């Protein structure tokens, strides 16, 4: 490394030159810096460790490993914290409305610290769902060399010979309410489902986003499906830090990597693995932050050409740890690359292209596993995240259509203006086969914060109604949700979208074959209802939620706060 701080240490050059040198350097001496340290790159470590959630309670060892890697590679580590909200723990409560808000808070934290301290690069360590998009958006805003280190997935729990995960608990609640599961067994599942640290174990939102970041080129190969308790996560974090130092030398920045073709690679992997509906919302926001031209219709374009080749929960049978053993995301990517469904020339944070990173990966998945299917024997011939439109959602909405025998239903609306009353109706047996539940005023502005509806959707599954009851909402779904569900309906109810005008008993059609979400009411009747509709009183008038509600864009634009 050159001894010149001007060439190597672009961001910290201001502390080594000019009249401001002495007072600026004094602050660093107070933290133990030596004279030679001022010629080294100053690298932020955005540490998401907390004891709020098992997703993040195992991150400190990764942050420590990253610091060691930075120092061994000749850099100075500057550690700062980022907050997290546990989606799984806040689900079904008012706290869930802070989840999407936390995505923006996390990105603000990273942008603020990297920009304010004029860092040369940043390594982000995260675990729970919004840590991923929040971290990526912060990295893209700061646009200094950066790498994402995922905290790792959780190991499965066990009960009665079956693997368990967080969704097992929510579905067990529905089974218990339907009389299909004893109170004692419900308690055992609750106690055993989460055996330790790591993020929720299926191809839910955290693992979906980590996998897509690996495909995007912003994380190391194989890192996105490691289990947090295993030593390889620490080894990977240390290696990521060393890779980042090399990227700083080359001035390889996030916006050099996160291009439209790279986002296509990420979305291809999301489709191939059966990933979370939340990926649509988050990649709209990531693309916006990266100044990449990407719309909700691009997801449908990608869906039509990418098969689902992984048998993963929630609509399949395997967990992320099984995917890792089967070859991980590199194996999925190599299958797609050989089929001409991936851009091999995209640059990655390793300094190599996608094709170069995958050069030693077998062309086809191993025959002794069935987590990853051959391209000619997919789970589904097309992707699972369908974009529906119609008079109920002219801007588009998202349906997850895997795991369903027939993703089409027309039925009477059962209308709820909050999640809790909807959940109670399911648990009380008041929702019947053929109904279409409508959960509204839960969008980015109306929630505010677009909460996830895992509790009512899991209760439907537990009650045996997952295939026969439709559910639409302007809110979101957990990555663990499956069934006849449609989310992100836009425009949302709070701004007068058609979902606000539905009456109890109205006929609604969900048709994922025709990509239609339709309120079967005349245009004249809809216009009459709209003329008398009044917007609701804001739920929050001060603080972070009020700011989010005031600034949030439509879900069809990623619910970003800076679409000015």
């Amino acid at each position: 490394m050159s001894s010149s701080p001007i060439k190597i240490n672009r961001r910290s050059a201001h502390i080594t030159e000019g009249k401001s040198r002495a007072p600026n350097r004094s602050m660093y001496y107070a933290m133990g810096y030596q004279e030679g340290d001022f010629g080294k790159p100053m690298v932020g470590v955005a540490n998401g460790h907390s004891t709020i959630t098992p997703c993040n309670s195992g991150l400190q060892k990764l942050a420590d490993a990253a610091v060691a890697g930075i120092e061994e590679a000749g850099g100075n580590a500057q550690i700062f914290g980022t907050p997290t909200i546990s989606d799984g723990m806040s689900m079904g409560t008012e706290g869930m409305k802070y989840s999407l808000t936390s995505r923006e808070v996390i990105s603000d934290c990273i942008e603020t610290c990297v920009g304010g301290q004029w860092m040369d690069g940043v390594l982000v360590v995260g675990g729970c769902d919004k840590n991923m998009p929040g971290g990526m958006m912060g990295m893209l805003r700061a646009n200094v060399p950066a790498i994402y280190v995922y905290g790792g997935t959780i190991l499965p729990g066990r009960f009665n010979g079956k693997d368990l995960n967080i969704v097992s608990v929510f579905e067990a609640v529905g089974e218990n309410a339907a009389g299909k599961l004893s109170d004692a067994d419900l308690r055992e599942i609750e106690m055993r489902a989460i055996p330790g640290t790591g993020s929720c174990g299926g191809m839910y939102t955290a693992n979906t986003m980590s996998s897509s970041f690996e495909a995007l080129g912003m994380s190391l190969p194989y890192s996105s499906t490691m289990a947090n308790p295993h030593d390889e996560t620490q080894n990977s974090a240390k290696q990521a830090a060393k890779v980042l130092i090399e990227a700083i030398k080359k001035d390889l920045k996030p916006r050099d990597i996160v291009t439209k073709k790279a986002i296509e690679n990420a979305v291809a992997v999301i489709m191939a693995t059966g990933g979370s509906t939340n990926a649509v919302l988050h990649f709209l926001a990531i693309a916006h932050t990266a100044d990449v031209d990407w719309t909700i219709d691009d997801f449908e374009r990608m869906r039509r050409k990418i098969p689902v080749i992984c048998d993963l929960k929630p609509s399949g049978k395997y967990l992320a740890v099984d995917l890792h053993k089967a070859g991980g995301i590199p194996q999925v990517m190599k299958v797609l690359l050989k089929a001409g469904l991936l851009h091999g020339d995209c640059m990655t944070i390793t300094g190599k292209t996608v094709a170069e990173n995958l050069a030693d990966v077998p062309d086809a998945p191993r025959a002794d596993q069935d987590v990853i299917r051959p391209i000619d024997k997919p789970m589904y011939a097309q992707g699972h995240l369908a974009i529906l439109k119609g008079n109920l959602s002219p801007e588009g909405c998202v349906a997850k259509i895997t795991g369903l025998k027939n993703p089409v239903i027309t039925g009477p609306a059962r209308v709820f203006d909050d999640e809790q009353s909807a959940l109670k109706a399911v648990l009380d047996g008041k929702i019947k086969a053929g109904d279409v539940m409508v959960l509204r005023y839960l969008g980015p502005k109306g929630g505010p914060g677009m909460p996830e509806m895992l509790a009512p959707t899991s209760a439907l599954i537990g009650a045996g109604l997952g295939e026969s009851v439709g559910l639409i909402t302007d809110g979101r779904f957990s990555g663990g949700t499956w069934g006849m569900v449609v989310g992100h309906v836009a425009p949302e109810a709070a701004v007068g979208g058609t979902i606000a005008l539905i009456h109890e008993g109205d006929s609604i059609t969900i048709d994922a074959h025709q990509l239609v979400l339709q309120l079967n009411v005349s245009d004249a009747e809809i216009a009459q209802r709209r003329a008398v509709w009044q917007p609701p009183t804001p739920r929050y008038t001060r603080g972070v939620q009020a700011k989010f509600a005031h600034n949030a864009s439509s879900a069809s634009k990623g619910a970003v706060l800076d679409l000015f």
Side-chain angles (χ1 to χ4, degrees):
M1 182 180 292
S2 167
S3 61
S4 168
I6 301 302
K7 293 179 180 178
I8 297 299
N9 202 5
R10 297 169 302 282
R11 293 267 159 178
S12 55
H14 70 291
I15 69 166
T16 64
E17 288 198 331
K19 295 180 180 179
S20 64
R21 168 176 171 168
N24 283 345
R25 288 167 65 115
S26 294
M27 300 293 284
Y28 288 90
Y29 284 133
M31 296 187 292
Y33 278 58
Q34 303 298 315
E35 185 76 20
D37 289 329
F38 295 107
K40 300 175 181 179
M42 299 204 178
V43 183
V45 176
N47 184 5
H49 172 80
S50 74
T51 56
I52 287 175
T53 169
C55 306
N56 290 55
S57 61
L59 297 188
Q60 188 60 50
K61 62 184 180 182
L62 306 189
D64 292 342
V67 169
I70 290 167
E71 293 176 349
E72 286 179 16
N76 284 322
Q78 296 187 314
I79 307 166
F80 61 93
T82 64
T84 193
I85 296 296
S86 170
D87 290 32
M89 296 167 82
S90 64
M91 200 74 68
T93 73
E94 189 71 8
M96 183 66 223
K97 295 176 181 178
Y98 285 85
S99 168
L100 185 59
T101 302
S102 76
R103 182 189 76 179
E104 303 303 315
V105 175
I106 292 165
S107 58
D108 287 350
C109 284
I110 293 168
E111 179 190 6
T112 299
C113 287
V114 173
Q117 293 302 118
W118 212 235
M119 293 172 181
D120 295 292
V122 62
L123 181 149
V124 180
V125 185
C128 200
D129 294 5
K130 304 311 172 295
N131 294 188
M132 258 67 73
M136 186 60 62
M137 291 162 69
M139 290 155 66
L140 284 162
R141 289 186 199 168
N143 203 34
V144 298
I147 194 166
Y148 200 97
V149 172
Y150 179 45
T153 189
I154 204 166
L155 294 171
R158 295 282 292 179
F159 180 62
N160 281 346
K162 294 182 180 180
D163 283 348
L164 299 175
N165 61 88
I166 183 62
V167 177
S168 305
V169 182
F170 284 91
E171 292 182 358
V173 170
E175 292 177 28
N176 178 259
K180 300 178 181 180
L181 186 74
S182 70
D183 290 348
D185 282 353
L186 173 59
R187 182 173 181 274
E188 289 296 322
I189 291 171
E190 181 183 47
M191 293 177 65
R192 298 169 185 264
I194 309 296
T197 56
S199 297
C200 299
M203 192 47 67
Y204 308 145
T205 302
N207 286 328
T208 296
M209 296 307 296
S210 68
S211 298
S212 66
F213 286 1
E214 185 176 324
L216 192 65
M218 290 297 294
S219 294
L220 293 188
Y222 297 100
S223 65
S224 65
T225 52
M226 294 175 178
N228 178 266
H230 293 167
D231 290 344
E232 64 179 342
T233 57
Q234 292 163 265
N235 297 335
S236 181
K238 190 172 186 179
Q239 180 61 27
K242 295 181 178 181
V243 166
L244 177 58
I245 296 295
E246 292 303 309
I248 291 171
K249 293 178 184 178
K250 298 172 185 174
D251 197 27
L252 179 59
K253 299 185 290 294
R255 293 195 190 188
D256 300 326
I257 296 170
V258 183
T259 62
K260 186 165 186 173
K261 289 168 67 175
I263 290 177
E264 287 187 348
N265 284 351
V267 173
V269 166
I270 291 164
M271 295 293 179
T273 56
S276 168
T277 54
N278 280 308
V280 175
L281 188 79
H282 296 325
F283 266 94
L284 286 167
I286 288 166
H288 167 74
T289 309
D291 286 330
V292 170
D293 181 20
W294 187 268
T295 73
I296 195 169
D297 295 322
D298 285 308
F299 290 96
E300 182 58 31
R301 172 176 61 83
M302 294 295 295
R303 183 190 73 83
R304 291 174 182 269
K305 66 179 183 178
I306 306 296
V308 180
I309 61 172
C310 296
D311 188 0
L312 296 168
K313 289 181 179 294
S315 49
K317 60 184 177 181
Y318 291 110
L319 295 170
V321 289
D322 302 309
L323 175 60
H324 192 62
K325 293 173 187 174
I329 295 303
Q331 184 64 80
V332 175
M333 292 178 70
K334 189 61 174 284
V335 172
L336 295 175
L337 181 67
K338 291 297 292 184
L341 298 173
L342 216 63
H343 301 291
D345 59 341
C346 287
M347 180 53 61
T348 74
I349 190 61
T350 65
K352 298 179 180 180
T353 65
V354 166
E356 288 170 338
N357 281 341
L358 300 176
D360 296 331
V361 178
D363 290 348
R366 297 196 321 267
D368 65 347
Q369 58 81 45
D370 61 348
V371 183
I372 307 171
R373 302 282 191 92
I375 196 74
D376 59 348
K377 295 179 181 178
M379 297 285 293
Y380 304 93
Q382 293 183 321
H384 62 301
L385 299 179
I387 305 302
L388 278 53
K389 292 188 176 181
N391 68 355
L392 259 177
S393 190
E395 294 181 12
C397 55
V398 186
K400 183 187 283 188
I401 59 178
T402 47
L404 296 173
K405 297 182 181 69
N406 182 28
V408 179
I409 188 173
T410 295
R414 303 298 309 279
V415 181
F416 304 91
D417 289 349
D418 62 84
E419 178 187 3
Q420 288 69 32
S421 58
L423 176 61
K424 186 175 187 302
V426 176
L427 296 178
D428 289 348
K430 295 180 179 179
I431 302 300
K432 307 299 181 184
D435 287 344
V436 178
M437 299 181 69
V438 178
L439 280 66
R440 63 190 183 188
Y441 294 104
L442 295 165
K445 291 182 178 294
M450 211 178 174
E452 293 177 351
M453 301 294 108
L454 180 60
T457 58
S458 295
L460 286 172
I461 299 297
L465 297 171
E467 297 268 7
S468 59
V469 170
L471 189 152
I472 71 170
T473 180
D474 50 6
R476 296 182 295 129
F477 294 116
S478 163
T481 293
W482 71 276
M484 186 76 70
V485 297
V486 180
H488 309 199
V489 171
E492 63 175 290
V495 299
T498 307
I499 190 173
L501 310 178
I502 300 171
H503 288 182
E504 183 82 8
D506 282 348
S507 173
I508 293 175
T509 294
I510 302 170
D511 188 336
H513 292 317
Q514 300 299 317
L515 303 179
V516 167
L517 182 65
Q518 190 78 12
L519 175 62
N520 300 313
V521 172
S522 71
D523 291 345
E525 174 64 19
I526 291 174
Q528 186 176 7
R529 294 180 186 181
R530 179 165 281 116
V532 298
W533 176 82
Q534 294 292 323
T537 301
R539 298 178 188 271
Y540 292 85
T541 58
R542 292 288 186 273
V544 67
Q545 289 292 68
K547 289 187 286 186
F548 187 94
H550 180 77
N551 289 303
S553 73
S554 169
S556 66
K557 302 290 186 181
V560 295
L561 304 189
D562 59 352
L563 190 61
F564 305 130

